[in-house]
């Protein structure tokens, strides 16, 4: 790590929630010496949704190739996104469950901070399916910033918010 450099991992999955987290980073905390890792974990869904039967092997091969091609295109888009923003760093893509890959790669890359979006799932859905951001928040050894889109307030009940001013 270079002197004064902060290593920041921004988790990307192609959703508007992650794009918002990326934009939030640029507008709020970006510093010239930041080393940014745009991270994408590819989770191949073909194997879990694939019907088995006659011709399944050929179909499976085709579907996996399509998913790999999609992942390669997204990798190129992330690379361009970094160039357009004038960021110093790299794009990293791995294969596996995003909830475990984020924390594993954060440790491997020795990042100082993780920034990610959230889909704003309700309590029941989050409990049943598990939330990537919840998992990362509870298992990360570095600070995690979870960016909820400013227009995504459908899960909040008005009148139940607390607010505190902090003065330094």
């Amino acid at each position: 790590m270079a002197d004064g450099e902060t290593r920041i991992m921004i988790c990307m999955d192609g959703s508007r929630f992650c794009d918002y987290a990326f934009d939030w980073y640029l507008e709020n905390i970006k510093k010239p010496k930041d080393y940014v890792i745009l991270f994408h974990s590819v989770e191949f869904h073909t194997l879990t949704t694939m019907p088995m039967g006659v011709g399944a092997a050929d179909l499976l091969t085709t579907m996996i190739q399509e998913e790999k091609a999609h992942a390669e295109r997204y990798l190129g888009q992330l690379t361009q996104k970094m160039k357009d923003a004038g960021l110093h760093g790299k794009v990293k893509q791995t294969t596996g469950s995003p909830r475990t890959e984020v924390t594993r790669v954060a440790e491997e890359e020795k990042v100082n901070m993780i920034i990610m979006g959230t889909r704003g799932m309700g309590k029941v859905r989050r409990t049943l399916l598990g939330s990537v951001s919840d998992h990362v928040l509870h298992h990360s050894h570095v600070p995690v910033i979870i960016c909820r889109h400013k227009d995504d307030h459908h899960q909040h009940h008005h009148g139940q918010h607390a607010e505190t001013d902090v003065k330094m």
Side-chain angles (χ1 to χ4, degrees):
M1 186 173 352
D3 191 34
E5 177 182 84
T6 301
R7 295 177 67 85
I8 298 174
M9 186 165 90
I10 305 175
C11 303
M12 304 297 289
D13 66 4
S15 72
R16 67 182 178 95
F17 307 102
C18 290
D19 288 341
Y20 178 76
F22 178 82
D23 293 340
W24 186 91
Y25 161 76
L26 292 177
E27 294 169 13
N28 293 282
I29 61 173
K30 177 186 171 195
K31 294 189 177 123
K33 288 192 174 187
D34 287 350
Y35 183 88
V36 176
I37 300 165
L38 285 190
F39 174 69
H40 177 232
S41 177
V42 179
E43 190 171 29
F44 291 112
H45 298 285
T46 300
L47 297 175
T48 58
T49 60
M50 179 68 200
M52 292 297 145
V54 178
D58 290 338
L59 184 57
L60 178 63
T61 301
T62 300
M63 291 173 75
I64 289 174
Q65 288 172 343
E66 287 173 4
E67 286 188 22
K68 283 182 179 180
H70 180 284
E72 281 295 317
R73 282 191 303 276
Y74 189 58
L75 188 66
Q77 291 169 3
L78 291 178
T79 301
Q80 189 59 50
K81 192 174 194 83
M82 280 198 71
K83 287 179 184 175
D84 292 347
L87 297 176
H88 169 64
K90 68 180 176 181
V91 175
K92 183 162 187 157
Q93 190 176 65
T94 64
T95 303
S97 170
R99 54 190 295 132
T100 55
E101 284 296 287
V102 169
T103 52
R104 183 188 70 75
V105 171
E107 287 183 31
E108 179 182 284
E109 292 288 342
K110 297 177 178 35
V111 301
N112 303 103
M113 174 189 315
I114 299 169
I115 300 174
M116 59 194 317
T118 181
R119 295 183 187 278
M121 289 193 282
K123 214 179 257 189
V124 173
R125 190 163 178 226
R126 186 172 54 243
T127 301
L128 294 174
L129 299 177
S131 162
V132 173
S133 58
D134 275 356
H135 181 86
V136 172
L137 183 64
H138 290 97
H139 292 89
S140 174
H141 297 289
V142 297
V144 177
I145 296 177
I146 300 172
C147 300
R148 180 181 302 278
H149 193 284
K150 62 185 177 190
D151 297 332
D152 185 24
H153 51 80
H154 67 276
Q155 298 294 334
H156 301 289
H157 301 287
H158 298 288
Q160 296 181 0
H161 295 280
E163 192 173 296
T164 305
D165 288 328
V166 177
K167 296 183 179 157
M168 300 203 150

